[in-house]
Amino acid sequence: MKPSITISLPSLAHKITTAGISEINSVIAPYGCIVKRIRRSRNYVLIGTYKDLVTARPAFGQLVDSKHCLKWQRVYQSYLAGLHQLGEASESATYEIKNFTASLGKTDRSFLLEKLAEIGIDAKRKANQRHLEFAGGLAKLNALQSILQSATSEPLVGIGKSIHKRLSTYNDIENLGFDYGKTEKPRTLLSYVVDNPANTVAELCFLTNCSTADARKALDDYFEL
């Protein structure tokens, strides 16, 4: 059995109150997860195995959606960010395309290499450049297989299906996702402001990890539209 791991949820009681923490625990307890306070500090952690933390996501997300509250959304974003980091650190896989040059045309090869670079998956050529091997966190590979299976090229679709089959031998990560797999272009700061013009500079920095200057510019751009 894999050991339990933790996701940090700073200042949780301040954001959603102790009653809110009890609600989260009631929702995630069936999945073997629990939220606990770190000694007598303001900070809490979400504890469970990697698989259990992933499996609990839909139920946790439904609870957050029912609240219609930005503070709850911020807690959920911390949870998702923690899942992504755990997926990168603790779960990864490799995949190899035999006779890379012969099996894919020039256009398909360029498309695949471009997507590998954009998503951030490491790739290297092997055996006198004939084979292509790439490795990465499961969430990124999951995003890649989704993109390839949506391509118009049959060879690329076949590779996408093969990667998906390989991923199925690991923990279920269908619900983990990766931002690039959901949208072909990363979200801009302005899109966060459009979604919620009441966002403050501090809230934008928390949601996107941007700088204070970039957050102020996004707010200024929105109100100049």
Side-chain angles (χ1 to χ4, degrees), residues 164-225:
H164 183 273
K165 182 178 180 180
R166 177 167 176 76
L167 289 178
S168 67
T169 64
Y170 291 79
N171 289 334
D172 180 13
I173 61 164
E174 292 297 327
N175 292 319
L176 179 56
F178 180 70
D179 286 345
Y180 189 91
K182 298 175 184 176
T183 57
E184 292 190 358
K185 294 182 179 179
R187 287 193 66 179
T188 63
L189 273 174
L190 185 57
S191 71
Y192 284 90
V193 182
V194 171
D195 286 348
N196 186 359
N199 276 332
T200 65
V201 169
E203 287 166 346
L204 281 176
C205 291
F206 178 86
L207 288 170
T208 67
N209 292 320
C210 69
S211 67
T212 301
D214 287 340
R216 287 200 182 101
K217 183 177 184 303
L219 288 168
D220 289 342
D221 289 344
Y222 173 78
F223 289 109
E224 289 176 3
L225 289 176

Side-chain angles (χ1 to χ4, degrees), residues 16 20 24 63-64 67 69-76:
I16 63 171
I24 294 176
L63 173 63
V64 172
K67 298 298 180 179
C69 175
L70 178 61
K71 289 184 177 181
W72 276 82
Q73 289 290 340
R74 291 172 65 183
V75 171
Y76 191 56

Side-chain angles (χ1 to χ4, degrees), residues 6 18 24 26 29-30 52 67 73 78 80 91 101 114 119 124 133 136 140 144 162 182-183 189 196 199 203 220:
T6 63
T18 54
I24 294 176
S26 67
D52 291 339
K67 298 298 180 179
Q73 289 290 340
S78 295
L80 295 182
E91 298 281 346
T101 304
E114 177 186 344
I119 296 174
K124 61 181 179 181
E133 180 182 87
K140 290 185 177 182
L144 178 64
S162 182
K182 298 175 184 176
T183 57
L189 273 174
N196 186 359
N199 276 332
E203 287 166 346
D220 289 342

Side-chain angles (χ1 to χ4, degrees), residues 26-225:
S26 67
V27 165
I28 65 175
Y31 302 95
C33 304
I34 188 172
V35 172
K36 284 188 175 181
R37 185 180 181 183
I38 301 177
R39 294 183 293 276
R40 304 181 105 182
S41 72
R42 299 173 57 191
N43 302 320
Y44 289 73
V45 289
L46 176 57
I47 304 173
T49 66
Y50 177 72
K51 182 177 181 179
D52 291 339
L53 289 169
V54 171
T55 306
R57 177 181 170 177
F60 193 177
Q62 289 176 5
L63 173 63
V64 172
D65 288 342
S66 71
K67 298 298 180 179
H68 304 291
C69 175
L70 178 61
K71 289 184 177 181
W72 276 82
Q73 289 290 340
R74 291 172 65 183
V75 171
Y76 191 56
Q77 289 299 321
S78 295
Y79 164 65
L80 295 182
L83 279 182
H84 180 69
Q85 291 171 3
L86 291 170
E88 289 294 286
S90 62
E91 298 281 346
S92 63
T94 60
Y95 185 84
E96 184 175 291
I97 301 176
K98 299 287 187 180
N99 297 318
F100 176 61
T101 304
S103 60
L104 292 176
K106 183 176 181 181
T107 301
D108 288 346
R109 293 199 303 271
S110 297
F111 179 86
L112 176 60
L113 293 174
E114 177 186 344
K115 298 310 172 187
L116 288 169
E118 289 177 354
I119 296 174
I121 297 175
D122 296 327
K124 61 181 179 181
R125 300 290 285 273
K126 297 176 61 180
N128 296 324
Q129 307 298 307
R130 288 186 302 154
H131 312 316
L132 180 71
E133 180 182 87
F134 48 87
L138 298 186
K140 290 185 177 182
L141 290 173
N142 193 44
L144 178 64
Q145 65 85 17
S146 178
I147 292 170
L148 295 181
Q149 290 201 65
S150 299
T152 56
S153 165
E154 289 188 9
L156 290 177
V157 171
I159 292 172
K161 290 180 178 179
S162 182
I163 295 173
H164 183 273
K165 182 178 180 180
R166 177 167 176 76
L167 289 178
S168 67
T169 64
Y170 291 79
N171 289 334
D172 180 13
I173 61 164
E174 292 297 327
N175 292 319
L176 179 56
F178 180 70
D179 286 345
Y180 189 91
K182 298 175 184 176
T183 57
E184 292 190 358
K185 294 182 179 179
R187 287 193 66 179
T188 63
L189 273 174
L190 185 57
S191 71
Y192 284 90
V193 182
V194 171
D195 286 348
N196 186 359
N199 276 332
T200 65
V201 169
E203 287 166 346
L204 281 176
C205 291
F206 178 86
L207 288 170
T208 67
N209 292 320
C210 69
S211 67
T212 301
D214 287 340
R216 287 200 182 101
K217 183 177 184 303
L219 288 168
D220 289 342
D221 289 344
Y222 173 78
F223 289 109
E224 289 176 3
L225 289 176

